[in-house]
């Protein structure tokens, strides 16, 4: 097994992420951060990489020797004092979208793919300023991850495997860790999860999506009225023809703009017709059991830059992809995985309650210009928990400006980002780093200028 052994005492699962509290380490007893067995995964010649003082590693974790199942990872040391800082695991949603293509090189990693798809630029607000970052392309079939057993691709679901759809399988992973922690030999000091614009409860998510579209003038009063009178999102929603047609009208209008970012321009040009960009249109559909899982991030042009970059032979070689085998075709999201996803809980609110009772820290944040999993969906879902409020709704500040609003409950904090779309760090990099820092420290967001 190729993997990075990190000497930390804290782990965080965010957004896709999980959290472990850092604790003092006697400098005289410190061991190397990276196990020497992983030295072959050290990235030394990534094309276009800015010079940095920290190390990063990429390669494969063999998760099933029998089936030949391997997941691709990319690990960045914290920019300073990596031995003393927590480990953060970032998982993007979809399901079927790449944590490397989105999280690592569009959102929170130290390198952002350039607009020509050839170079990289340094991210001054990378979250590795505060933590060691681990990005995993999961499950098999996402990005560079693979299996030599074809049936592995036909049995995918939440039980098989943090923005968006990761809002479901991150809490499920946290629950699994919590349950397994009864065995001292498997104990992981997991303290909490941080989730951004997460899918949470199908019924509340649907209500939030249509109410947000109406309140932001995407659909008419008449369409919204039909939905209110005919849609039972808690029951057999799509058996009602009037409901189904009205919701189709909402999705139709969202095809005209960027559902992930209502007030920014869409990508226009040849790249907008690429296979990856067209996924957004293809996935604007309903299913009988779950939310319309629309693929990807917020900027189809950014997606194309990532596709160009990761399909370069020299980039794949630098990242130790396929161990020297012929060029692997990388895509930012997988239609096959999306279509084959067979297992999805309609609500993970019971898991929230379980994790809160176990004492885990849970923070949820929402960019307030996202129509895909809008702030209303999250407010409806959290409202259904019925948690006591410990700090009432109030602005939080960054650089003396209102960054958003937040409210604290017993066991949970909810915060908004003013003027941010679905992938919040793309819109508010400095603000999101500030929230991330408060989360790691277990401190309230700044409520004064």
């Amino acid at each position: 097994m190729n993997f990075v052994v990190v000497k930390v005492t804290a782990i965080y699962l965010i957004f896709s992420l999980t959290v472990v509290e850092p604790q003092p380490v006697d400098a005289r007893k410190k061991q190397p951060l990276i196990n020497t067995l992983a030295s072959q995964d050290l990235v030394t010649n990534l094309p276009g990489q800015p010079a940095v003082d920290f190390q990063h590693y990429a390669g494969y974790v063999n998760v099933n020797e029998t089936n030949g199942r391997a997941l691709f990872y990319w690990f960045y040391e914290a920019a300073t004092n990596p031995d003393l800082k927590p480990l953060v695991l970032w998982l993007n949603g979809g399901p079927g979208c790449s944590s490397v293509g989105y999280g690592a090189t569009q959102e929170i990693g130290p390198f952002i793919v350039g607009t020509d798809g050839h170079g990289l630029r340094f991210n001054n607000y990378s979250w590795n300023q505060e933590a060691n970052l681990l990005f995993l392309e999961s499950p098999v079939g996402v990005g560079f991850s693979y299996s030599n057993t074809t049936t592995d691709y036909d049995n995918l679901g939440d039980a098989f495997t943090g923005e968006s759809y990761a809002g479901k399988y991150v809490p499920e992973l946290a629950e699994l860790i919590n349950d397994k922690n009864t065995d001292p030999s498997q104990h992981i000091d997991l303290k909490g999860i941080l989730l951004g614009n997460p899918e949470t409860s199908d019924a509340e998510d649907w209500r939030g999506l249509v109410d947000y579209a109406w309140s932001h003038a995407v659909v008419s009063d008449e369409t919204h009225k039909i939905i209110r009178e005919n849609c039972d999102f808690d029951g057999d929603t799509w058996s009602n023809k009037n409901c189904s047609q009205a919701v189709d009208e909402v999705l139709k209008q969202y095809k005209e703009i960027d559902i992930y970012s209502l007030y920014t321009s869409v990508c226009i040009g040849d790249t907008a017709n690429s296979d990856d960009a067209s996924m957004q249109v293809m996935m604007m559909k309903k299913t009988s059991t779950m939310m319309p899982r629309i693929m990807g991030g917020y900027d189809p042009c950014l997606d194309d830059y990532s596709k160009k970059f990761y399909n370069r032979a020299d980039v794949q070689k630098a990242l130790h992809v396929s161990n020297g085998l012929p060029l692997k075709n990388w895509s930012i999201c997988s239609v096959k995985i999306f279509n084959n996803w067979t297992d999805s809980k309609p609500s993970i609110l019971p898991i929230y309650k379980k994790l809160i009772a176990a004492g885990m820290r849970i923070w949820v944040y929402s960019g307030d210009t996202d129509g895909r999993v809008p702030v209303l969906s999250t407010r409806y879902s959290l409202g259904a928990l019925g948690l006591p409020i410990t700090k009432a709704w109030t602005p939080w500040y960054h650089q003396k400006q209102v960054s958003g609003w937040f409210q604290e409950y017993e066991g949970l904090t909810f915060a908004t980002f003013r003027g941010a779309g679905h992938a919040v760090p793309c819109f508010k990099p400095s603000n999101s780093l500030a929230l991330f820092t408060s989360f790691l420290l277990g401190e309230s967001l700044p409520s004064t200028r």
Side-chain angles (χ1 to χ4, degrees):
M1 175 188 291
N2 267 349
F3 200 55
V4 178
V5 178
V6 185
K7 189 183 185 303
V8 290
T9 56
I11 297 176
Y12 292 76
L13 268 179
I14 288 190
F15 202 42
S16 344
L17 224 149
T18 304
V19 180
V20 179
E21 293 287 353
Q23 297 181 8
V25 177
D26 188 333
R28 294 170 298 178
K29 297 180 180 179
K30 281 200 306 181
Q31 299 174 1
L33 175 66
I34 304 301
N35 188 300
T36 55
L37 293 177
S39 61
Q40 62 191 15
D41 289 350
L42 179 66
V43 178
T44 57
N45 59 346
L46 184 64
Q49 177 195 307
V52 292
D53 294 329
F54 57 85
Q55 294 181 321
H56 56 112
Y57 299 74
Y60 286 93
V61 185
N62 293 317
V63 295
N64 188 304
E65 296 284 355
T66 301
N67 286 19
R69 190 185 305 154
L71 301 181
F72 181 79
Y73 81 92
W74 197 346
F75 170 82
Y76 301 89
E77 287 184 349
T80 59
N81 300 317
D83 288 309
L84 303 179
K85 292 185 176 175
L87 169 66
V88 164
L89 169 64
W90 176 284
L91 302 171
N92 274 94
C97 292
S98 167
S99 302
V100 167
Y102 284 117
T105 47
Q106 288 192 29
E107 300 181 67
I108 68 165
F111 312 127
I112 303 297
V113 174
T115 56
D116 58 0
H118 292 289
L120 297 167
R121 61 179 176 84
F122 185 71
N123 180 8
N124 291 312
Y125 304 103
S126 172
W127 289 13
N128 84 320
Q129 293 185 29
E130 301 295 336
N132 299 283
L133 300 181
L134 174 61
F135 299 89
L136 191 68
E137 294 197 307
S138 177
V140 293
V142 174
F144 294 127
S145 296
Y146 68 90
S147 176
N148 293 327
T149 304
T150 56
T151 55
D152 281 349
Y153 298 97
D154 300 324
N155 298 285
L156 300 173
D158 293 358
F160 183 72
T161 58
E163 286 159 339
S164 199
Y165 192 77
K168 288 196 173 181
Y169 56 66
V170 167
E172 291 172 338
L173 176 56
E175 179 186 35
L176 177 63
I177 292 172
N178 179 71
D179 293 345
K180 294 292 184 180
N181 275 348
T182 56
D183 182 351
S185 67
Q186 299 185 28
H187 188 270
I188 297 175
D189 190 15
L190 176 64
K191 297 298 183 183
I193 56 177
L194 174 63
L195 303 152
N197 289 79
E199 289 191 28
T200 306
S201 172
D202 288 353
E204 281 71 27
D205 288 347
W206 267 116
R207 290 189 187 96
L209 187 150
V210 298
D211 286 353
Y212 185 89
W214 170 71
S215 65
H216 287 71
V218 176
V219 295
S220 68
D221 293 349
E222 292 73 21
T223 296
H224 190 242
K225 183 173 184 289
I226 293 171
I227 291 174
R228 287 203 321 267
E229 294 176 349
N230 291 276
C231 290
D232 176 15
F233 292 118
D234 293 298
D236 186 10
T237 307
W238 313 121
S239 63
N240 186 308
K241 183 178 179 180
N242 290 333
C243 169
S244 184
Q245 289 179 342
V247 172
D248 280 341
E249 177 63 22
V250 176
L251 300 181
K252 175 184 175 183
Q253 296 307 319
Y254 266 133
K255 290 178 183 178
E256 300 298 320
I257 60 175
D258 190 339
I259 190 172
Y260 296 101
S261 175
L262 263 65
Y263 304 117
T264 56
S265 300
V266 297
C267 182
I268 297 176
D270 294 339
T271 57
N273 295 317
S274 70
D275 291 341
D276 287 327
S278 66
M279 290 182 186
Q280 178 171 339
V281 175
M282 186 182 71
M283 296 306 167
M284 293 285 272
K285 63 183 181 181
K286 306 184 305 293
T287 69
S288 60
T289 59
M290 61 190 73
M291 288 286 290
R293 298 190 305 268
I294 305 163
M295 305 291 258
Y298 91 95
D299 182 352
C301 292
L302 268 179
D303 294 357
D304 285 345
Y305 308 149
S306 295
K307 184 175 180 179
K308 290 179 182 177
F309 184 76
Y310 289 112
N311 277 300
R312 291 175 51 184
D314 54 353
V315 170
Q316 293 192 10
K317 182 179 179 181
L319 296 177
H320 313 117
V321 172
S322 299
N323 300 314
L325 296 176
L327 187 70
K328 182 175 176 62
N329 183 28
W330 184 92
S331 62
I332 200 159
C333 292
S334 168
V335 176
K336 181 179 177 66
I337 288 176
F338 182 90
N339 289 334
N340 287 352
W341 203 262
T342 58
D343 172 49
S344 178
K345 288 183 174 66
S347 173
I348 51 85
L349 293 178
I351 298 178
Y352 274 30
K353 293 179 180 179
K354 181 177 179 179
L355 297 179
I356 290 171
M360 287 194 192
R361 186 185 313 160
I362 300 178
W363 281 33
V364 180
Y365 64 87
S366 288
D368 65 9
T369 65
D370 174 29
R372 172 58 188 89
V373 189
V375 64
L376 282 183
S377 293
T378 302
R379 295 178 81 170
Y380 291 169
S381 294
L382 297 182
L385 283 173
L387 298 173
I389 297 171
T390 59
K391 186 178 181 65
W393 190 260
T394 188
W396 70 278
Y397 297 89
H398 181 63
Q399 298 175 345
K400 298 184 178 182
Q401 298 292 329
V402 174
S403 186
W405 284 261
F406 78 106
Q407 185 156 287
E408 294 179 353
Y409 304 85
E410 283 189 7
L412 187 145
T413 293
F414 172 58
T416 71
F417 281 83
R418 186 165 64 101
H422 188 72
V424 168
C426 292
F427 296 87
K428 302 289 182 178
S430 179
N431 306 58
S432 65
L433 177 60
L435 178 135
F436 176 61
T437 302
S438 293
F439 169 70
L440 293 182
L441 295 173
E443 298 177 349
S444 292
L445 290 165
S447 54
T448 61
R449 293 185 193 273

